[in-house]
Amino acid sequence: VQLQASGGGLTQAGGSLKLSCAASGIYSSITAMGWYRQAPGKQRELVATVTNHGRTIIEDPVKGRFIISMDNTKKTAFLQMNALKPEDTGVYYCVVDIAGSDRWFWGQGTLVTVSS
């Protein structure tokens, strides 16, 4: 399983970025995809998840600002990040849950930096 995340970068507070995560090497169905993030000096935290049926969970710190979606056909997840704040700065990791697997698979991460 390989997860290729992209779309990170530097933006100012109030700006927007859209992350993408393309999954490959998967030969069974994807049940869900998601994003975690890790800010400097802090623990990794869940940002959002989306199931293959379109059900989403958005964590409180980003609720109302971030939108997660998934293209089942392309095995790609997206994270639209709006109204970004400096505290959104961190490395964002894509994860995928596969049918028949007992764990989530992780990608390498993409860096998001929000300046004040």
Side-chain angles (χ1 to χ4, degrees):
V1 175
Q2 291 186 333
L3 298 173
Q4 183 64 51
S6 61
L10 172 64
T11 188
Q12 292 184 333
S16 298
L17 287 173
K18 185 173 183 178
L19 305 183
S20 299
C21 175
S24 61
I26 297 174
Y27 302 101
S28 58
S29 60
I30 292 176
T31 56
M33 297 185 75
W35 295 90
Y36 280 76
R37 69 184 181 185
Q38 186 166 20
K42 295 187 176 182
Q43 289 188 332
R44 197 171 294 185
E45 63 177 0
L46 177 65
V47 176
T49 59
V50 57
T51 72
N52 58 352
H53 298 296
R55 180 181 178 184
T56 62
I57 296 176
I58 309 293
E59 296 299 310
D60 286 343
V62 303
K63 192 169 292 183
R65 300 187 295 122
F66 289 14
I67 301 169
I68 188 170
S69 60
M70 182 168 68
D71 184 327
N72 292 336
T73 302
K74 297 181 179 179
K75 297 182 180 178
T76 301
F78 304 95
L79 186 68
Q80 176 66 49
M81 305 185 295
N82 302 317
L84 283 161
K85 304 175 181 180
E87 51 263 43
D88 294 319
T89 294
V91 178
Y92 284 68
Y93 298 91
C94 175
V95 295
V96 64
D97 184 40
I98 302 170
S101 174
D102 60 355
R103 69 178 183 93
W104 290 76
F105 293 87
W106 290 73
Q108 292 295 320
T110 184
L111 178 62
V112 171
T113 304
V114 184
S115 63
S116 58

